[in-house]
């Protein structure tokens, strides 16, 4: 028998255990990653997010409404300014006279007014001798009938 009392397998096993013991001693002990404090912090943060989500959404919505109302107020102010300018123009007798001539085809005494038709009208008067002999209401009724057929 050899001088050694242990077999090679036993020695290898002992060496492996010693090496494992040295490795585990060198490493710090493993701790659970989720501690009680971390869980409490996560819970507080989640509750804050849930509690503040609705008020923040309302705040953003109201800011948008305020911006929209300010834009409408600026538009109304611009429209009011245009109306004031138009009112001031209508106070001038020359402007009133100019608008009456342009839109109502008024002429001053002594002037001769002409109305030029450009032929863009779509209506046409009934033609022929029969149209002149009929009463006006029959011509009107025929015009209404022809308009219904279109």
């Amino acid at each position: 028998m050899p001088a050694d009392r242990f077999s090679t397998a036993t020695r290898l096993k002992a060496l492996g255990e010693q090496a494992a013991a040295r490795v585990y001693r060198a490493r710090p002990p493993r701790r659970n990653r989720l501690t009680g404090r971390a869980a409490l912090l996560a819970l507080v943060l989640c509750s804050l997010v849930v509690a503040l989500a609705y008020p923040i959404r309302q705040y953003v919505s109201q800011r948008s409404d305020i911006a929209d109302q300010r834009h409408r107020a600026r538009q109304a102010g611009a429209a009011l300014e245009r109306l004031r300018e138009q009112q001031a123009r209508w106070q001038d007798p020359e402007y009133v006279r100019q608008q009456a001539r342009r839109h109502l085809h008024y002429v001053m005494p002594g002037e001769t007014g002409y109305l030029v038709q450009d032929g863009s009208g779509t209506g046409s008067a009934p033609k022929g001798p029969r149209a002149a002999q009929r009463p006006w209401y029959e011509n009107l009724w025929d015009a209404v009938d022809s308009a219904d057929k279109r």
Side-chain angles (χ1 to χ4, degrees):
M1 246 192 163
D4 247 6
R5 290 192 327 185
F6 300 110
S7 69
T8 306
T10 309
R11 276 194 218 150
L12 285 175
K13 187 177 178 186
L15 282 175
E17 288 174 357
Q18 289 172 2
R22 271 186 260 140
V23 168
Y24 285 120
R25 267 184 273 146
R27 263 197 241 167
R30 284 188 146 203
R31 296 177 62 195
N32 190 1
R33 290 182 185 248
L34 186 63
T35 63
R37 286 183 183 175
L40 183 63
L41 180 62
L43 180 66
V44 168
L45 287 177
C46 288
S47 63
L48 281 175
V49 167
V50 168
L52 294 177
Y54 184 73
I56 289 175
R57 191 185 82 184
Q58 288 293 339
Y59 174 76
V60 170
S61 173
Q62 288 173 358
R63 295 299 295 175
S64 173
D65 290 344
I66 289 170
D68 187 39
Q69 290 296 327
R70 286 182 179 159
H71 179 69
R72 287 183 186 175
R74 281 193 299 272
Q75 286 180 337
L80 178 66
E81 189 60 34
R82 284 192 305 271
L83 289 173
R84 284 185 178 156
E85 289 173 3
Q86 187 177 10
Q87 181 185 17
R89 281 194 306 253
W90 280 102
Q91 299 300 321
D92 183 20
E94 271 305 309
Y95 181 77
V96 173
R97 207 172 286 125
Q98 177 190 20
Q99 293 302 312
R101 286 173 156 252
R102 180 179 295 150
H103 296 290
L104 302 176
H105 307 291
Y106 281 11
V107 291
M108 298 301 287
E111 293 179 347
T112 304
Y114 295 98
L115 186 62
V116 179
Q117 295 183 355
D118 60 356
S120 63
T122 58
S124 63
K127 296 180 178 143
R130 180 142 163 49
Q133 295 171 357
R134 294 183 353 181
W136 65 270
Y137 51 85
E138 286 183 13
N139 291 336
L140 177 67
W141 189 252
D142 286 344
V144 169
D145 280 341
S146 67
D148 282 342
K149 292 177 185 176
R150 289 185 194 169

